[in-house]
Amino acid sequence: MSRFFTTGSDSESESSVSGDELVAKPVGGNYSKPILLSEDEEDTKRVVRSAKDKRFEELTNLIKTIRNAMKIRDVTKCLEEFELLGKAYGKAKSIVDKEGVPRFYVRILADLEDYLNELWEDKEGKKKMNKNSKALSTLRQKIRKYNRDYETHIANYKQNPEQSDEDEEKKSRDSEGSTSSSSEEEEDEDGVSAAAFLKKKDAGGESRSRYLKKMEAEEEESEESDEEEDWGSSDSDTDSESDEDEGKYTSLASKFLKKDEDKKGGEKKREEKAKKKHDRKSRKYEEEEEDNEGGEWEKVKGGGPLVKPKMFAKGTEINHAVVVKKLNEILQARGKKGTDRAAQIELLQLLVSIANENGLGVALEVKIKFNIIASLYDYNPNLATYMKPEMWQKCLGCIEELLDILFAHPEIFIGENIVEESENLANPEQPYRVRGCILTLVERMDEEFTKIMQNTDPHSQEYVDHLKDEGRVCGIIARLQRYLQEKGTTEELCRVYLRRVLHTYYKFDYRAHRRGAGAEERAPAPAPAAAAEEEEEEEDSAALMERLCKYVYAKDRTDRIRTCAILCHIYHHALHSRWYQARDLMLMSHLQDNIQHADPPVQILYNRTMVQLGICAFREGLIKDAHNALLDIQSSGRAKELLGQGLLLRSLQERNPEQEKVEKRRQVPFHMHVNLELLECVYLVAAMLLEIPYMAAHEFDARRRMISKQFHHQLRVGERQPLLGPPESMREHVVAASKAMKMGDWRTCHRFVVNEKMNGKVWDLFPEADKVRAMLVRKIQEESLRTYLFTYSSVYDSISMEILADMFELDLPTVHSIISKMIINEELMASLDQPTQTVMMHRTEPTAQQNLALQLAEKLGNLVENNERVFDHKQGSYGGYFRDQKDGYRKGDGGYLRRGGYRQQERGSNY
């Protein structure tokens, strides 16, 4: 029976009261007896609570759930409970308006926002959050938006977070006049009020997170409260007290009236508990201070200690099947999200060592090493990123070890067409068969090397250090070439030959150059053991390129490899001043006819080859051929971009970031660049030697065309200068030299073109600089002579060739040859008098009637041409006479001379 009943049976009174005591029956009639309740309601307390208590209890329960979710990093649960908290707070809006925003609500808003910011800044932790990552971003946005309405409250809380809530507690207790004493007892037993539900201590210590410490403090407080309260004794006390009270009250209503004694007892109880709590806190602070006295906080790496997983269980027999199974287990994690790639590489290396310790054979070692190299390539998931130096060195070492094994064990057969089921890794009686392609690994290694060079600052020592690795790369390719010559197919040989060619074609062979010039001293004879290796090293690059490229020409079935080999071969010929071989190979290949259909890297190689061909023609003194080869590249104004040596700023606006990344991957490494200033200087000097005599010959020709627009542009820029000082840049030197040549002053022209400044910038960069300078002097003398005769022929009746030879410091036969060519080509109206070595000028000035007739003829020609253009425009096609001024100078030239570097006119493409 319930202890609330005032009367009971004899058995109940006997069990609750001792034998000597008598229970006094209350005065009153039958109405004083309580109404019997159902069995379910027998032991329940009837508590009368205010609306404020109900609402605040609902809020505190939700806040407690959020705190628990924060401890276990369950952001999804936090999001759900936060939405419920917002709805519950909306229901309590009327009470909040009357009482003010409760401090525990402000505290959870501030703590939750700071907690989410900590999670957001933890990049490593965010990667490990699968479903919670989306909830994190959603909750973070909601809490930031929600907290805008409580910025003042949150700021006040953060300024004084340890302020006690006693005032709020007292305020809430004073407003509870109608609340029953049982609810007070319940609060006292729990030791928690609605306002002070989530009060926590803020422990010191800079290295630990503020919020994690709060959570630890909460856990400890809950544990301590559980230890303090002896539930069994309190129950027995209340039972006995209630039985004693039954005799004191005459009615049920009088029992529940509040007494002053109860208030005093509750306050005394709370004070004692508060004192105990304060003592516990002070003891804890003292312990922490003692711990901290030992030394400073030590920063540890996030997460637990890294424990390497055991490869095999203890007592497992290590055989081929077990190792292959473990290898497949490791490889199954490859490419999955959250896989530690570095740990995967370490596991594979550990597996190799285990296989070697147990003597499982070289075939299994080869298979695992194939996968190690593939894992090294997969370490960077993004194509744009390049290998780290330590990974790159590890990759080179693994490939060299793999080649050592393959050379030491020629019985191992490897191929990408071998099915894994048909592999033979364990049976030594049959040939070992391993699935894998060493050529693909080496090609990827070469691409990674190019990527490293592209992404390294070319003016730093790091670039030089990386460039030293090219010797190892070339050595690996040469060893692979020897291996495939014995066991490879024709297609594989063509691919490895192309890799060898691509690392050879742009390098000038100084040893062969000195040997050809007879300047190399004789070296002592090598030892017989090293004779075979040195024989290939001593092979000239020209002979090597000839041998490799001819094999590719004969055996290759893909157009791309053959095209690249031809272009590299032409480049190498041109680099070593073998002009006629390079020109003939270019004309016979007919690459200029369909290069626009090739992929961009091949087009870049074609442009580089054309530029090198033009520079070679210039070194050989073939000015016209040099100008024609360089014309299209230089006239475009995009030489840097067309040669793959950088992107122009103005064209960056025409492409999106994705296209820009693709363009950067096509760039040529810095050590393979063609000097752009040298290229422009060669082009401008060649244009000067062609254009100045032509301008002098057609000075009064109204229909004079331009040979080089870029050269004319530089002349106009020079003429616009208000003050003409001494030339400084390379262009200013060429413009000043052009003006001197126009006047027939070859010495001044020579001083502007060949001087210390120009030598340092341009001419000393050629392998045979003195030979180039001598050629330049001779060409300047000859073209200055032609210009002089064109300009001043109308002044002379006759002029001695000996005087011309002394004036331009040329020998007499050369002067005779130049004048004879001019007379034959009808450029100079004169005749030679052999006995006196004199040039007799012929007066061919037209009369007034002839001038009028010429002007009339020219105007009629213009009229006919305009009529034909209008007529053709109406018909829709240009079928008739149409003058192309640009190609007039090159009319009649065949082959590549009609085309320079490829320039695609479409705006969308950069090549």
Side-chain angles (χ1 to χ4, degrees), residues 631-696:
L631 178 62
D632 278 353
I633 293 288
Q634 285 300 121
S635 61
S636 68
R638 297 188 300 129
K640 184 178 182 180
E641 191 172 352
L642 293 174
L643 295 174
Q645 297 181 187
L647 300 178
L648 298 178
L649 292 176
R650 66 168 179 259
S651 60
L652 289 177
Q653 302 170 356
E654 301 173 5
R655 59 172 72 91
N656 56 36
E658 194 63 33
Q659 289 175 334
E660 186 179 344
K661 288 180 184 177
V662 174
E663 295 292 337
K664 284 182 178 178
R665 285 203 292 270
R666 292 175 184 156
Q667 300 304 301
V668 177
F670 182 77
H671 63 281
M672 298 170 63
H673 281 192
V674 177
N675 192 313
L676 294 177
E677 191 172 17
L678 180 144
L679 176 63
E680 187 178 8
C681 182
V682 166
Y683 174 75
L684 289 177
V685 170
M688 177 189 75
L689 295 174
L690 294 173
E691 192 80 62
I692 297 300
Y694 179 79
M695 289 169 64

Side-chain angles (χ1 to χ4, degrees), residues 145-157:
K145 186 176 179 182
Y146 190 81
N147 282 4
R148 288 174 193 165
D149 299 332
Y150 303 96
E151 288 179 351
T152 309
H153 299 284
I154 293 173
N156 293 335
Y157 163 71

Side-chain angles (χ1 to χ4, degrees), residues 60-248:
T60 51
N61 289 335
L62 290 170
I63 290 172
K64 188 173 182 180
T65 310
I66 292 175
R67 294 271 181 201
N68 292 335
M70 287 165 65
K71 290 175 188 175
I72 60 174
R73 293 199 170 201
D74 189 355
V75 186
T76 308
K77 183 70 174 174
C78 286
L79 176 60
E80 295 173 1
E81 296 299 322
F82 179 73
E83 290 173 350
L84 295 176
L85 182 65
K87 292 177 183 177
Y89 187 78
K91 293 178 183 178
K93 186 68 175 163
S94 58
I95 298 170
V96 170
D97 293 341
K98 190 186 298 182
E99 301 287 337
V101 180
R103 190 170 177 80
F104 64 84
Y105 191 73
V106 176
R107 182 184 292 114
I108 188 61
L109 293 180
D111 291 354
L112 184 58
E113 184 177 11
D114 292 343
Y115 170 75
L116 293 174
N117 289 336
E118 276 191 8
L119 289 182
W120 189 264
E121 290 170 3
D122 185 10
K123 303 295 181 185
E124 296 297 327
K126 267 172 66 179
K127 290 178 184 177
K128 296 176 182 178
M129 298 172 72
N130 296 330
K131 297 179 181 177
N132 284 338
S133 58
K134 187 176 180 182
L136 175 62
S137 60
T138 307
L139 181 56
R140 184 168 173 265
Q141 290 174 357
K142 284 190 175 186
I143 193 74
R144 288 171 69 182
K145 186 176 179 182
Y146 190 81
N147 282 4
R148 288 174 193 165
D149 299 332
Y150 303 96
E151 288 179 351
T152 309
H153 299 284
I154 293 173
N156 293 335
Y157 163 71
K158 287 185 177 179
Q159 286 177 2
N160 193 5
E162 294 204 18
Q163 184 181 357
S164 65
D165 293 330
E166 291 180 3
D167 296 338
E168 195 169 343
E169 286 183 33
K170 288 178 182 178
K171 185 179 177 182
S172 62
R173 284 199 299 272
D174 293 340
S175 63
E176 290 173 355
S178 61
T179 308
S180 64
S181 60
S182 62
S183 64
E184 279 190 0
E185 290 173 6
E186 187 179 353
E187 287 182 14
D188 292 341
E189 289 169 3
D190 294 340
V192 179
S193 66
F197 179 73
L198 294 172
K199 183 168 71 174
K200 296 177 291 302
K201 70 182 183 71
D202 186 10
E206 294 174 2
S207 65
R208 293 169 52 190
S209 172
R210 184 160 63 95
Y211 309 103
L212 295 176
K213 286 189 289 179
K214 285 183 179 179
M215 294 172 188
E216 291 171 5
E218 282 181 356
E219 291 174 0
E220 289 169 2
E221 285 178 15
S222 62
E223 289 172 4
E224 288 166 0
S225 62
D226 291 343
E227 290 172 3
E228 283 177 5
E229 295 167 355
D230 187 2
W231 295 102
S233 61
S234 64
D235 285 343
S236 62
D237 292 342
T238 50
D239 289 341
S240 61
E241 286 171 4
S242 62
D243 292 336
E244 290 172 1
D245 290 343
E246 285 179 2
K248 295 179 183 178

Side-chain angles (χ1 to χ4, degrees), residues 430-455:
Q430 297 179 356
Y432 289 119
R433 292 168 60 86
V434 181
R435 177 181 172 82
C437 181
I438 183 67
L439 176 59
T440 306
L441 297 181
V442 173
E443 285 179 335
R444 179 70 187 274
M445 174 205 68
D446 195 21
E447 291 169 5
E448 289 292 338
F449 176 71
T450 304
K451 205 185 296 183
I452 289 171
M453 303 311 293
Q454 286 171 343
N455 289 277

Side-chain angles (χ1 to χ4, degrees), residues 408-466:
H409 300 276
E411 71 275 7
I412 300 176
F413 179 72
I414 59 172
E416 56 186 347
N417 297 324
I418 297 175
V419 187
E420 289 191 1
E421 288 77 13
S422 64
E423 284 183 324
N424 178 24
L425 305 175
N427 189 0
E429 297 177 358
Q430 297 179 356
Y432 289 119
R433 292 168 60 86
V434 181
R435 177 181 172 82
C437 181
I438 183 67
L439 176 59
T440 306
L441 297 181
V442 173
E443 285 179 335
R444 179 70 187 274
M445 174 205 68
D446 195 21
E447 291 169 5
E448 289 292 338
F449 176 71
T450 304
K451 205 185 296 183
I452 289 171
M453 303 311 293
Q454 286 171 343
N455 289 277
T456 308
D457 180 13
H459 305 292
S460 64
Q461 182 61 33
E462 186 183 1
Y463 191 91
V464 179
D465 296 338
H466 285 316

Side-chain angles (χ1 to χ4, degrees), residues 69 81 134 149 161 235 293 325 330 476 513 636 752 842:
E81 296 299 322
K134 187 176 180 182
D149 299 332
D235 285 343
E293 283 174 5
K325 184 181 178 182
I330 297 171
I476 289 171
H513 175 67
S636 68
F752 282 129
H842 297 170

